[in-house]
Amino acid sequence: MKTFLQDYHYGTEYDRQGMEPHFLDWAHQPVPYKTYQGIAPVHLPEISGLYPGSLRQVYEGEGFSSSENVPGLEDLSRILYLANGLTGKARQGGADFYFRSAPSAGALYPNEIYLVWPGGGGLAPGVFHYGVHNRSLTPLRTGNFVPAVHAFAEDEKSGPIAVFFVSGIFFRSAWKYRKRAYRYVLMDAGHVMESLRLAVRAAGFSCRLVYAFDDAAVNHLLGFDPEKEVSIGCVYVYGSGKGAVELKKSPGLRIEVLPESIRGASKTSEREIRYHEILDIHRAGSDIVPPAGPPVDMAACLGLLPVPFGAVSSPDALEKQLLSYARTVSARRSRRNFVQQPMHSDQLAFMVDLICRASDVSTDGGQGYSSAIAVGLLVGNVDGTPPGFYLVDVRLRRLHRVFEGNVTGEMAAVSLDQQWLANAGVQFLFMTNLDVLDRQWGARGYRYAMLTAGRLGHAVYLGATALGLGACGIGAIYDGEARRLLGLNPSSSLVYVVAAGVIKGG
C-alpha cells in the first residue's frame, strides 16, 4: 500500500507516452508580488555597501562578526536583498522582467519571506512581510512573538533573537505545473532558505534552519489562508553576544485572528485552481514525526554499487579568481548557453566543496535534514575527471564512481529532451529514496528532501557564478527514464538536476 508521500510523488511523475496537453491561461496569470491594502509599510534603507568577503568565506563562516546583538535596519535591508531581492531587469514580451537573487522554476516565484522581530535595531517588535517589489516590511502584528514561535517548534535548543519564515503560494507554480507544482514550491523554497541563511551569516550573525514546527500555529500567526499559502521552513537568527540586549516576552500576548484584508492577500489570481493532490500531501506532512533513528546514509539506499574514486579537495588557488559573495549573488542568473569546452577539475571540486559545507549538520543544529538527499554527479567534460556517474559522500568528502562513460546526452533526453543540457561540463543530481523518507520522518520527510535539494542546488548556482561559469536547474524530467538510466531501485527517484559548465562569452 502506497503512503501519502509515495502516492503524491508517483502520481505526479512525467511519462513520455502519457503527457497531458496543457495551455497556459495568460489572462489569469498569478501576480508575482504579495501586497497588503491599507497598511503603511516600513521602507528599508538604501543599501550603502555590501559585504566584501568571498563566497567560500561565507560558507565557512570566517571573518564575519557583527558588533551588535541584533541586526539593524541596514543589516535587514542587505539580508533581504541578498536573500530574495531584485537583482536586475530585462524586457521580455514587451514587459519588464525582474531577476531575483534566488532562482525559481519557470520564474514563477511562489515563495514569500516573513520576519518575526523582537524589537530593537530601529524596528518595533512585530510580525512583518517582506515586499520584494518595493523593499519594505509590512507590519502584520505588533508585539514580540519570537518566544511563541520557539514554542511552536517544540525545540529544546536555545531560542533565537529573531526568525525568518519562508512560505509557499501554491497557485503561483500550479498555474503552469498543475499538480506537480508542490515539488517546485518546495525546491524553490530551498533555494530561498539557503540564500537567506548565507545572507544572515554574511551580516555577522549565526543561524540555523528549522523545518519542524506547528504548521497551523505558524499559518495563523502569519495570517494565511492555508489552501492558498503555507509556511514551509524558517531560519532562526542568533545574537552576536556583543552589546547584549535583553529580549523579553511581551506579557499577556494573544495571537488573534488577523482580518480578512490580510488573510485574503494570499490570493494571486481572479481564477485560481485548487489541486487536491497538493493540498493532500501538504496536510499529510503537517504532523511532526520524530526521526526513526540517526541520520540515514541516503546514498546507500539508492540500490547502487559504487566504488571509491578519490577525495574532494578544497582548491585555494581559485580564491583570487572568484567574485565576492555579494557580487556573486547580484550576478546569479539561470544560464544554459553551454559550449563544449572543458571545465577544470578545480572548478568541479570548488562546487562539490560548497555542497559538502551546505550539507554539514551545523546548518540545522544536528536535526539531519540534509540526509534526506543523496548527491551525485554526471561528469561529461571536466579536465582531470573521467566521464561517468559519481556519488558524493558529503560527510567524508569523497567521490565514489557508479559507472564510467558520458551519459550527459542521455540525461538531456530524460530532461524532456532539453538538448542544451548535454553541453554542460557536469550535471549535479539530487536523489532520494521515498520509502526511507517515509520511515524516517513520515510524509513530512518529502518537504525535507525537496527543501534540501533546492538548498544544495543553490550552492551549485552560486559556486558556478563565482567561477564565471553558467548553471541552470531542471525539475522537469521523465521520472521513470531517469530511474532506469541511473540504475536506481524502484523506491528511489531523481528529483532535481543542476547543470554547470562553460558558457558562451563566459
Side-chain angles (χ1 to χ4, degrees), residues 80-127:
L80 290 165
Y81 166 76
L82 291 166
N84 200 29
L86 303 182
T87 57
K89 182 174 72 171
R91 292 290 290 179
Q92 294 185 1
D96 288 338
F97 172 82
Y98 291 89
F99 299 100
R100 301 196 193 187
S101 49
S104 169
L108 298 173
Y109 302 109
N111 307 111
E112 301 284 336
I113 295 179
Y114 298 81
L115 171 64
V116 183
W117 188 248
L123 185 65
V127 177

Side-chain angles (χ1 to χ4, degrees), residues 10-20 180 414 416 477-481 483-484:
Y10 293 135
T12 57
E13 289 193 338
Y14 283 162
D15 183 276
R16 190 181 296 271
Q17 308 305 320
M19 297 290 284
E20 300 175 357
R180 190 177 169 102
V414 165
L416 274 58
I477 55 178
Y478 295 122
D479 301 80
E481 291 183 23
R483 196 174 287 118
R484 291 187 290 274

Side-chain angles (χ1 to χ4, degrees), residues 275-464:
Y275 290 91
H276 71 86
E277 296 91 346
I278 293 176
L279 296 177
D280 289 347
I281 180 59
H282 190 76
R283 289 167 180 158
S286 294
D287 292 333
I288 302 173
V289 178
V296 297
D297 179 1
M298 193 59 74
C301 303
L302 303 177
L304 305 173
L305 297 173
V307 296
F309 178 77
V312 176
S313 63
S314 182
D316 295 325
L318 288 175
E319 195 70 22
K320 293 183 179 179
Q321 305 173 31
L322 303 179
L323 295 177
S324 70
Y325 156 68
R327 288 185 61 197
T328 296
V329 172
S330 297
R332 188 220 59 79
R333 302 286 187 269
S334 292
R335 293 187 171 94
R336 58 188 187 184
N337 55 332
F338 298 114
V339 295
Q340 293 184 344
Q341 294 180 20
M343 288 171 46
H344 194 276
S345 59
D346 278 355
Q347 293 175 319
L348 174 60
F350 179 77
M351 289 184 282
V352 174
D353 175 66
L354 293 185
I355 288 175
C356 292
R357 294 182 187 279
S359 302
D360 191 87
V361 294
S362 63
T363 62
D364 59 29
Q367 297 301 304
Y369 303 138
S370 295
S371 67
I373 282 290
V375 181
L377 311 171
L378 289 185
V379 174
N381 196 359
V382 179
D383 279 345
T385 306
F389 176 24
Y390 300 82
L391 292 178
V392 181
D393 185 327
V394 296
R395 186 176 63 87
L396 298 179
R397 306 172 71 83
R398 301 192 65 84
L399 296 182
H400 298 263
R401 186 160 58 194
V402 181
F403 58 70
E404 300 180 26
N406 188 347
V407 295
T408 55
E410 288 87 339
M411 182 54 71
V414 165
S415 301
L416 274 58
D417 296 308
Q418 300 185 72
Q419 288 305 313
W420 56 265
L421 195 61
N423 292 330
V426 61
Q427 298 165 359
F428 290 84
L429 311 177
F430 303 98
M431 301 161 286
T432 194
N433 182 302
L434 301 173
D435 288 351
V436 173
L437 286 182
D438 194 72
R439 288 199 302 269
Q440 185 75 352
W441 294 291
R444 202 177 184 99
Y446 197 70
R447 299 189 204 178
Y448 300 166
M450 293 301 187
L451 285 165
T452 300
R455 278 207 321 107
L456 302 187
H458 198 68
V460 177
Y461 263 98
L462 293 179

